[in-house]
Amino acid sequence: MSAEKIDRELKKRINQFKKLLKNEEERESFYNSICGSEILVRIEIFLPSANPEKYYDGLFLYLNDEGKIVSAEYYYNEGGEGAITKLEGDSLEVVRDLFEDELSLEIE
């Protein structure tokens, strides 16, 4: 799919959202027509660094609405150049074991 196509579709949605903001009845109808949603919260953990001006690293933890870590990524940046990688298998389990009980999520 082209970037132009995505831009066009996004523009259509934003225009639709703007119209919905002006009409409460249509907005309510729109909300009722949404077939579902999923809550996924991203928490960023800034890990301690001996020299943060030179390098830093951290974790992105993705939690579901029950506060369980469903996914995680590790990032590293040194001298302005960075990389990110998804944690899987044993690495993900270690992160879950270390952080999951320390996080709380209350959604109403």
Side-chain angles (χ1 to χ4, degrees), residues 19-104:
K19 288 177 184 175
L20 292 170
L21 287 170
K22 296 175 183 175
N23 187 317
E24 188 151 340
E25 194 173 298
E26 286 184 25
R27 185 178 340 150
E28 190 66 32
S29 176
F30 173 75
Y31 289 154
N32 290 333
S33 70
I34 293 174
C35 52
S37 63
E38 180 179 32
I39 295 173
L40 193 62
V41 176
R42 183 181 89 171
I43 296 176
E44 184 173 2
I45 306 286
F46 303 102
L47 297 172
S49 171
N51 189 351
E53 283 82 38
K54 183 177 178 187
Y55 73 91
Y56 60 90
D57 61 344
L59 297 166
F60 292 120
L61 306 178
Y62 299 90
L63 286 68
N64 65 13
D65 58 349
E66 297 172 351
K68 302 294 181 193
I69 297 172
V70 295
S71 184
E73 297 169 318
Y74 171 77
Y75 66 85
Y76 182 85
N77 188 303
E78 185 174 340
E81 291 189 35
I84 189 167
T85 187
K86 184 175 181 176
L87 298 179
E88 298 178 316
D90 289 342
S91 297
L92 179 59
E93 282 304 313
V94 168
V95 167
R96 279 183 180 139
D97 291 344
L98 182 61
F99 290 102
E100 201 163 70
D101 290 341
E102 295 302 314
L103 304 171
S104 65

